[in-house]
Amino acid sequence: MELRDMIYARRSVRKYLDQPLNEGELRELRYAFGRMKPLYPGIRVRWEILEKEQVRLFMPWKAPQLMAVYSEKKEGYLENVGFLFQQMDLYLQSIGLGSCWIGLGKPRYQNEEDGAEFVILLGFGKPQGTPLRIGSADFKRKTPAQIADRVDAALEPARVAPSSTNSQPWFFVHEEDAYHAYMVTDGLRKHTMIGAMNRIDMGIALAHMYVANEARFRFFYAEVPKKDGYQYIGSFTL
Ligand SMILES: Cc1cc2nc3c(=O)[nH]c(=O)nc-3n(C[C@H](O)[C@H](O)[C@H](O)COP(=O)(O)O)c2cc1C
């Protein structure tokens, strides 16, 4: 399946066969990453594949292998990681694998010697059963009216995007042909780990908008009005 078809078919997979991918299969993943587009091309990102013994997770299940993502810490780096690795999530599921973002875990050994910071894990592997969804009705998400200043079918890819604890922190405001993307901030969250996760979530929703409109998606900063309880993340046209 094409990546854009996976937007309405993917789901977080938490049950895996105990069959790690072999070196040839892992090479395919590294190769596929070369086709993925960053939100901020100037931010250096690297990732490595870890076996489940090499991570500490604060949850009762484990994926057989995980991608540990590191990034240079520059403005927009969390959104950039979400944007890049959501394309990986869609790709993994498009080739019949399962995947799940994992905020509640970290590598036992974090290699930050080059100044890059560990950001997040993405677990993956051969799924137990067939996890795919059958369409947008199969998602537990906010309604179109809850995620934008007006109902807009073009925002459906962002609406069904995955997010940490399914928090769906995105809100979109229309202005002429542009969409301004805001993140819900309730004060408390801003400086905590949840705040960081929500920035990754914003990148994930933007990735869905990009994948659904690959040739037309343009991301940029605009002068936008301040909105109480929301933080401006960036704008795009389709
Ligand atoms: C940044 C991020 C972190 C996440 N961390 C975890 C996690 O630590 N454990 C877990 O079981 N699921 C985690 N999830 C998966 C979400 O719970 C899941 O995406 C959400 O409930 C929506 O379900 P879906 O992905 O099946 O559509 C995470 C998702 C995102 C986007």
Side-chain angles (χ1 to χ4, degrees):
M1 269 207 260
E2 299 264 343
L3 287 204
R4 66 169 167 278
D5 299 322
M6 298 315 299
I7 291 171
Y8 302 105
R10 63 155 297 286
R11 77 164 79 236
S12 291
V13 172
R14 299 185 177 86
K15 285 194 182 134
Y16 293 93
L17 302 176
D18 195 13
Q19 295 171 8
L21 269 57
N22 64 36
E23 198 39 55
E25 291 168 318
L26 295 178
R27 202 176 313 122
E28 285 294 316
L29 303 186
R30 293 193 191 96
Y31 183 70
F33 186 70
R35 293 195 296 271
M36 290 165 195
K37 189 184 147 93
L39 193 59
Y40 294 103
I43 304 181
R44 195 165 45 83
V45 175
R46 66 176 166 80
W47 55 288
E48 59 192 12
I49 292 169
L50 302 178
E51 306 299 318
K52 64 175 181 223
E53 296 75 24
Q54 294 174 287
V55 296
R56 268 166 50 104
L57 302 187
F58 310 101
M59 320 173 302
W61 60 272
K62 272 191 176 179
Q65 286 163 316
L66 306 97
M67 295 177 184
V69 183
Y70 293 78
S71 173
E72 194 181 4
K73 215 172 158 183
K74 279 187 178 168
E75 173 109 38
Y77 77 108
L78 296 167
E79 294 92 316
N80 191 50
V81 164
F83 191 84
L84 267 171
F85 282 85
Q86 184 55 22
Q87 294 167 67
M88 181 58 93
D89 171 80
L90 294 171
Y91 171 73
L92 290 164
Q93 302 215 11
S94 78
I95 58 169
L97 296 175
S99 54
C100 186
W101 286 92
I102 298 170
L104 293 173
K106 53 187 177 188
R108 288 185 189 277
Y109 170 70
Q110 294 179 25
N111 177 359
E112 297 180 333
E113 279 158 27
D114 61 355
E117 175 182 274
F118 166 69
V119 179
I120 195 153
L121 297 168
L122 184 69
F124 65 95
K126 295 177 184 157
Q128 272 183 34
T130 44
L132 293 185
R133 287 179 160 114
I134 45 169
S136 60
D138 200 8
F139 286 82
K140 226 174 89 191
R141 295 292 191 268
K142 291 180 179 171
T143 62
Q146 287 174 307
I147 64 152
D149 58 344
R150 64 174 156 85
V151 171
D152 181 349
L155 288 168
E156 196 62 3
R159 190 183 72 86
V160 300
S163 54
S164 47
T165 61
N166 208 19
S167 52
Q168 309 162 67
W170 37 76
F171 191 82
F172 301 94
V173 173
H174 295 77
E175 187 185 354
E176 296 174 8
D177 64 341
Y179 295 83
H180 303 313
Y182 291 85
M183 176 175 78
V184 178
T185 54
D186 53 15
L188 271 179
R189 287 179 165 219
K190 221 170 177 171
H191 302 292
T192 62
M193 185 171 134
I194 301 170
M197 289 294 138
N198 279 166
R199 284 190 173 271
I200 298 175
D201 299 335
M202 291 302 300
I204 290 173
L206 291 169
H208 275 200
M209 294 310 298
Y210 159 61
V211 169
N213 304 278
E214 202 178 329
R216 290 179 297 141
F217 180 88
R218 295 276 174 280
F219 180 73
F220 59 97
Y221 269 114
E223 284 293 321
V224 294
K226 276 209 161 35
K227 268 176 75 67
D228 253 6
Y230 294 84
Q231 181 148 3
Y232 174 62
I233 297 293
S235 303
F236 58 89
T237 50
L238 301 177

